[in-house]
Amino acid sequence: MKLNVLLLPGDGIGVEVTSEAAKVLRHVADAFGHQVSTREGLLGGVAIHKTGNPFPDETRELALNADATLLGAVGLPEFDHAPPDKRPERGLLGIRKALGVYANLRPVRSYRALLDSSPLKNELVDGADMIIVRELTGGLYYGTPRGISGNGAEERAVNTMTYTRPEIERVAHMAFQLARKRRKKVTSVDKSNVLENSQLWRRVVSEVAGEYPDVALDHILVDNCAMQLVLSPKRFDVVLTENLFGDILSDEGAVLAGSIGMLPSASLGAKKASGARIGLYEPVHGSAPDIAGQNKANPLGAIGSVAAMLEYSFGLSEDAQSVYGAVEEVLNSGCVTADLKPKGKPATTSEVGDAVCEALSARAASA
Ligand code: IPM
Ligand code: MN
């Protein structure tokens, strides 16, 4: 198979984790007989530096023409006070919208080897395995009117939370279809005791559920969900929620996995003529400028995102399983970065990437 992949390393540790993830991608392709061709583009702070725009037109073209895009992270502290359209994050919001990737899948699971990396009690975390389906192209992130106006005591800021029925329906379908391949349970998260927006969300999700009688649906308020995630994480299978709630809950979920550096994500849009979905793949963590360029960052979120790409964009489930298996082996071997608090000396970013490649080679040789 031919895999045309666009790499957008972005800012901070995005650069080093994307480089390890691309190494793993090339390695899988070699081992399983695919041809990868990669191109590289600019997004975020680095794009502002080189072009003045966080999401240059050239990047848009590259992304629209690639089979799939692998992104590192965006964000640099020097832009903290920049106007909204000159901020790295605008680049990320821009590419998500341009590709129409409305469903952001964020698997959150515990790993036996990492139980002690989580501050939560082992028995609480052990066996937790959920996937957060975050709506990604609507809600407060994109709603208008938005902005800050006036001066002094008259100064005010406004953001708008909007969802239309079709926006809720399509992401809900995605969640129910995923649930069918898992433990057949969807938990929809909202704030319907206060927000009209959530009332529509709950009503539409319940209607969509009617088409999936084999999947159980429950609803939970977002504040309670935040508590249940750390009190009884094993009750969750597929967690379906809107954009901002999903952003917040997925960082919280990272505590179950031992470190946010572990979390991959897949952002999926419409189906293309080939039947494959448009896909943007990125680790959940940010650009972590404080440790950037030091070969310390955990590349496993980015490497997991490559596995997700193989699965969702290329339909290569077996190849994806090999990557997940290789990652698990590396975790068991204790070769992990500092964020996972290893007992011995922490491994570097590139050592972890190399270890995943070696484990993959061993698997391919024995297959
Ligand atoms: C994420 C990030 C982004 C988001 C930021 C960098 C804009 O936090 O992907 O979770 O809020 O979506
Ligand atoms: Mn986030």
Side-chain angles (χ1 to χ4, degrees):
M1 193 165 181
K2 279 199 77 168
L3 323 177
N4 288 313
V5 176
L6 174 64
L7 304 177
L8 299 174
D11 305 321
I13 61 168
V15 177
E16 52 220 84
V17 299
T18 304
S19 142
E20 293 312 308
K23 188 158 91 185
V24 170
L25 175 63
R26 292 191 191 99
H27 208 85
V28 180
D30 276 354
F32 294 91
H34 311 297
Q35 263 178 290
V36 193
S37 79
T38 55
R39 302 192 67 178
E40 209 170 302
L42 298 170
L43 189 81
V46 61
I48 302 178
H49 280 304
K50 295 203 174 141
T51 71
N53 180 351
F55 181 38
D57 291 342
E58 200 192 331
T59 302
R60 178 190 304 264
E61 283 310 304
L62 286 169
L64 290 172
N65 290 317
D67 294 331
T69 299
L70 180 67
L71 200 146
V74 301
L76 290 174
E78 66 194 86
F79 296 107
D80 279 355
H81 303 287
D85 58 342
K86 293 276 182 237
R87 293 179 68 122
E89 291 77 7
R90 257 309 155 88
L92 186 52
L93 268 51
I95 192 170
R96 287 171 176 171
K97 198 71 169 180
L99 292 177
V101 285
Y102 60 84
N104 181 218
L105 280 40
R106 299 187 155 185
V108 176
R109 54 162 293 196
S110 66
Y111 292 88
R112 272 282 152 83
L114 298 182
L115 291 179
D116 289 332
S117 305
S118 173
L120 299 174
K121 292 196 179 82
N122 286 4
E123 67 269 22
L124 206 109
V125 174
D126 191 12
D129 182 357
M130 70 186 83
I131 182 160
I132 299 176
V133 178
R134 168 188 177 194
E135 200 291 328
L136 199 63
T137 51
L140 279 165
Y141 277 60
Y142 294 93
T144 51
R146 66 185 297 158
I148 304 178
S149 60
N151 287 301
E154 302 299 310
E155 197 170 16
R156 67 194 297 270
V158 60
N159 287 97
T160 304
M161 187 169 185
T162 315
Y163 273 108
T164 62
R165 171 176 278 276
E167 282 178 313
I168 303 169
E169 282 171 352
R170 62 185 182 179
V171 73
H173 279 291
M174 187 76 86
F176 283 100
Q177 280 159 21
L178 276 169
R180 276 195 165 152
K181 299 193 196 126
R182 299 175 47 99
R183 302 195 306 279
K184 299 193 169 52
K185 183 175 174 196
V186 171
T187 300
S188 175
V189 182
D190 63 43
K191 187 69 186 170
S192 61
N193 53 346
V194 178
L195 304 176
E196 284 77 4
N197 213 278
S198 284
Q199 288 155 13
L200 179 65
W201 180 276
R202 192 176 277 221
R203 187 149 49 80
V204 173
V205 171
S206 300
E207 283 174 28
V208 171
E211 295 179 43
Y212 301 85
D214 51 325
V215 178
L217 168 69
D218 67 345
H219 302 276
I220 185 171
L221 296 174
V222 63
D223 46 353
N224 186 21
C225 181
M227 182 168 69
Q228 298 304 328
L229 264 183
V230 285
L231 276 184
S232 73
K234 282 177 250 186
R235 80 183 280 298
F236 296 105
D237 179 15
V238 176
V239 178
L240 167 64
T241 193
E242 66 86 41
N243 203 344
L244 181 65
F245 297 163
D247 178 47
I248 297 169
L249 294 176
S250 54
D251 270 36
E252 189 189 1
V255 177
L256 303 167
S259 156
I260 196 163
M262 292 301 299
L263 298 199
S265 91
S267 306
L268 306 178
K271 280 193 179 162
K272 296 190 267 197
S274 65
R277 284 195 186 274
I278 296 177
L280 173 68
Y281 299 85
E282 46 174 315
V284 171
H285 64 70
S287 57
D290 53 323
I291 58 160
Q294 298 174 34
N295 203 15
K296 275 188 189 167
N298 187 347
L300 292 176
I303 290 170
S305 304
V306 165
M309 175 187 288
L310 294 168
E311 185 171 345
Y312 296 115
S313 277
F314 299 117
L316 298 169
S317 305
E318 275 179 37
D319 306 31
Q321 287 309 323
S322 308
V323 178
Y324 295 128
V327 166
E328 195 127 16
E329 262 174 57
V330 170
L331 294 175
N332 292 338
S333 79
C335 174
V336 299
T337 43
D339 55 315
L340 292 169
K341 305 181 196 69
K343 297 210 172 69
K345 187 170 172 271
T348 64
T349 309
S350 45
E351 280 166 357
V352 174
D354 288 340
V356 173
C357 289
E358 267 169 47
L360 273 167
S361 298
R363 285 176 167 260
S366 68

